[in-house]
Amino acid sequence: MLIIGIPGKTLTSNDRDCLARPEVSGVILFARNFESRMQVAELIEAVRACRPDPFLICVDQEGGPVQRFRDGFTRLPALARIGEIYARDHALAVALAEEHAWLMASEMRAIGVDISFAPVADLARGNRAIGERAFHADPAVVSELLLAYLRGMRIAGMAATLKHFPGHGSVAEDTHFDVAVDPRPLEELLQTDLVPFADAIDAGAEAVMLAHVTYPAVDALAAGFSPTWIAGVLRGRLGFRGLAIGDDIGMAAVEGVGGIAARIDAHRRAGCDLILACNPSIVPESLAAVEGLGACPADRLATLCGAAPQAWDALVDNPQRDTFIARVTALDATARA
């Protein structure tokens, strides 16, 4: 049920105790957990030794401003660079989206990461947290690039996580620090921000991460705490059958829900399958809140576990990878020119 953060670059005895808890379904890694490719691969092996059952190793390796592992990995440009190409060569932009996704996912799978929480499906309409993490402002363009990104991830053996449902891009506030409210009605959202999500769900996206944004014309509760959004819109209207993931319960936008236990309970009641507790400081309280509730069912969790990866040496020896790296990394040079 919980995906937890750990504090350091190696596991402590306390980390091992936390990871062994059946209520913990995965771990999410950050820059604080990374020193080198070899080190983080050893950390992942140590986590696997604690939990050999279906168990998720997760990271945010989007590229641009959100890339947790850098040294030793391809420096991926922000998705906005691909969107900028679209206006002058949409076929090239689609190809680059697929190549970007393959590079990201194949490198993560080669070190044992199951899932990078990607791609961002939000519209690029001025949100402070999203910014250049989004492909484009036009829903149709985002949909086309998003579907290409899903193809690239799948070729590399990684499931996709669409974020941040039902769309975080059109409000200004950053939910890490502020409450965010989008006053638009559902019908307007269905014609704009929800278009990429709907198209990617139709294409079989395996997971969706909920936004800590409130849409009062739809429900007084923020999306991740709302049965109206999860059961009614996501699963009912859009037909999603994958896993619903609640965004980090440590964010400022959710403080009004109550303490850690109240936030977890609200996510569970709304229909979230997995809940992020990213900051190690909130993990003990989170574990206390879910004691005895069990993990996410193994058969559902297995749908997010990565397929058999290429070994790192084989990946590096792949000449196609060199071609993709040259094309994708050139996007940042083009943007600076």
Side-chain angles (χ1 to χ4, degrees):
M1 174 185 306
L2 292 181
I3 296 176
I4 64 170
I6 55 177
K9 297 176 178 62
T10 58
L11 292 182
T12 66
S13 59
N14 182 66
D15 294 335
R16 289 185 172 88
D17 290 343
C18 291
L19 292 170
R21 291 279 297 272
E23 300 89 355
V24 176
S25 296
V27 64
I28 180 168
L29 302 177
F30 289 87
R32 65 174 179 261
N33 307 117
F34 178 77
E35 180 176 282
S36 68
R37 180 172 56 81
M38 184 174 294
Q39 168 270 323
V40 81
E42 290 174 353
L43 174 60
I44 290 166
E45 287 183 10
V47 172
R48 295 283 185 211
C50 294
R51 289 293 297 268
D53 51 321
F55 188 81
L56 295 177
I57 310 293
C58 312
V59 71
D60 292 309
Q61 189 79 351
E62 300 169 18
V66 180
Q67 181 168 345
R68 309 306 187 193
F69 306 158
R70 294 181 180 264
D71 292 345
F73 297 93
T74 303
R75 291 295 294 269
L76 297 164
L79 297 185
R81 303 290 84 78
I82 301 172
E84 290 162 4
I85 297 290
Y86 189 92
R88 60 181 184 269
D89 191 336
H90 78 274
L92 174 60
V94 169
L96 288 168
E98 187 170 320
E99 292 165 14
H100 187 294
W102 182 87
L103 282 170
M104 179 279 292
S106 63
E107 290 184 356
M108 293 300 96
R109 290 296 305 124
I111 62 166
V113 170
D114 289 296
I115 194 159
S116 170
F117 290 128
V120 169
D122 302 306
L123 303 184
R125 294 190 173 182
N127 180 267
R128 290 193 288 269
I130 303 303
E132 64 178 356
R133 297 165 63 193
F135 282 115
H136 203 276
D138 185 328
V141 174
V142 174
S143 282
E144 188 172 1
L145 297 176
L146 198 65
L147 296 184
Y149 208 91
L150 265 62
R151 290 194 297 271
M153 292 180 74
R154 286 174 175 155
I155 292 167
M158 182 179 284
T161 304
L162 309 176
K163 63 184 186 184
H164 306 78
F165 183 88
H168 197 327
S170 298
V171 292
E173 293 80 11
D174 181 344
T175 52
H176 294 86
F177 308 106
D178 298 298
V179 172
V181 177
D182 189 331
R184 293 174 297 163
L186 178 59
E187 290 309 314
E188 182 176 345
L189 292 166
L190 285 166
Q191 295 168 17
T192 54
D193 296 60
L194 277 165
V195 169
F197 289 96
D199 289 345
I201 287 167
D202 285 346
E206 294 86 354
V208 166
M209 184 178 292
L210 282 296
H212 287 324
V213 179
T214 303
Y215 309 82
V218 182
D219 192 356
L221 298 172
F225 303 116
S226 168
T228 299
W229 274 114
I230 298 176
V233 180
L234 178 61
R235 298 201 183 280
R237 189 155 185 166
L238 300 185
F240 180 65
R241 295 294 176 264
L243 279 82
I245 304 173
D247 206 347
D248 182 17
I249 56 173
M251 291 183 180
V254 300
E255 290 175 357
V257 175
I260 296 300
R263 299 172 203 178
I264 291 172
D265 185 61
H267 271 314
R268 289 184 56 249
R269 290 178 182 276
C272 287
D273 300 286
L274 297 167
I275 301 164
L276 288 171
C278 296
N279 192 320
S281 69
I282 66 172
V283 168
E285 191 174 353
S286 300
L287 290 172
V290 300
E291 186 172 3
L293 295 179
C296 179
D299 59 338
R300 287 182 60 73
L301 201 64
T303 64
L304 300 189
C305 291
Q310 277 188 299
W312 185 266
D313 288 346
L315 179 64
V316 170
D317 286 341
N318 183 346
Q320 185 180 47
R321 177 175 180 264
D322 295 334
T323 301
F324 288 176
I325 289 173
R327 282 162 54 90
V328 169
T329 57
L331 288 169
D332 273 335
T334 301
R336 288 193 295 268

